[in-house]
Amino acid sequence: MATQPHLLVDDGDLTDRVLIPGDPGRVDRIASHCDEHETIAENREYKVVNATYEGQELTICSTGIGCPSAAIAVEELANVGVENFIRVGTTGALQSDIEIGDMIVATGAAKNEGTSKRYEAVEYPAVPDYDVLSALVDSAEANDEEVHVGPIASDDAYYAESDEAVEDWEAAGLLSVEMEAAAVFSLARRKGLRAGAICTVDGNLVEGTQKGTDTEDDELPDKAKNNVGRAIDIALEATTQL
C-alpha cells in the first residue's frame, strides 16, 4: 500500500490502537505519560508518535480541529491497520452542573456537522464502541476519577454556536459540544473498527464561560489544563484493556 498522503505513514508503521487528540501539541503531552516514544511522521496538523505504556504498544496521532481533518486521520490510520481509536480532547459543557475541568465520556454524538453526512444519513447513530466506552469508564473508576457519562454534540462552526442552539442542546440533555467525535464514531462503526472518546471540559456555554473568556495568554483555563493530564491517564489505561 502506498504511503498515506496526509499522515505520511505506511502499512506496518503503527500499532493497532491509537489515541487521537486534536492538538498536535497534546501528542507530546500524551507521549510524556508513556514509558517510551518515537516520532514517526509530522505533516500539516498531523503528528504521529509510537509509544509504550505499561508494556502496551500504542500510537498517538493528532487530528487537527473539526470533523473533516479527523475523518482524514481515521481513514488513513485504518488504511495502515489501526483498529481501536480513543479521542482525547476538550469540550464545552452544556449543562449548568458540569464544571471546567470535569471529564466527559461520550455515549454518542449528535451530528451537527457535515462530514458524516457525506458517508451516511443523519439518522444513523454516531455512537462509540461498547468495549471502548466500558474501558474508559472502568479506567476512570480504577483511577478513582469521577466522569460524566452521556451524549454530546459535534458541531462544525465554533463561532456560530448561537444561544438558541445552546438552549436546544441543553434541553435535549446533551452534556457538551466538541468538533470531532461524530465523524470518528461514524467512520469507525462503518469500517467495523472500535472508537470512544473522553474529553475535558474547558468552558461552559450555558454559564457563559466559553473557552478563552477567562484566560489571557493560554488556550485553556488552568483547571482544564491540569485535568487534561488526568484524562490522558484514563485513556492510556483504557488502551491496556482493548
Side-chain angles (χ1 to χ4, degrees), residues 152-182:
I152 65 174
S154 294
D155 188 48
D156 270 346
Y158 180 87
Y159 287 105
E161 292 166 351
S162 65
D163 291 342
E164 292 77 14
V166 171
E167 291 171 2
D168 188 53
W169 289 332
E170 178 189 17
L174 303 185
L175 301 187
S176 69
V177 57
E178 50 80 84
M179 300 186 71
E180 293 83 23

Side-chain angles (χ1 to χ4, degrees), residues 19 21 23-34 37 47 49 60 88 90 200 220-233 236:
L19 300 189
D23 180 4
R26 198 167 298 141
V27 172
D28 295 330
R29 185 169 182 185
I30 295 171
S32 73
H33 288 237
C34 296
H37 53 88
K47 182 170 185 176
V49 168
I60 313 160
V88 186
T90 54
T200 304
L220 299 179
D222 287 341
K223 187 176 180 182
K225 192 186 306 180
N226 294 338
N227 285 6
V228 163
R230 296 161 68 185
I232 288 170
D233 288 337
L236 285 169

Side-chain angles (χ1 to χ4, degrees), residues 170-204:
E170 178 189 17
L174 303 185
L175 301 187
S176 69
V177 57
E178 50 80 84
M179 300 186 71
E180 293 83 23
V184 173
F185 293 168
S186 296
L187 266 66
R189 170 177 45 76
R190 293 184 69 85
K191 293 177 176 293
L193 307 175
R194 304 194 295 182
I198 181 169
C199 295
T200 304
V201 173
D202 58 16
N204 189 307

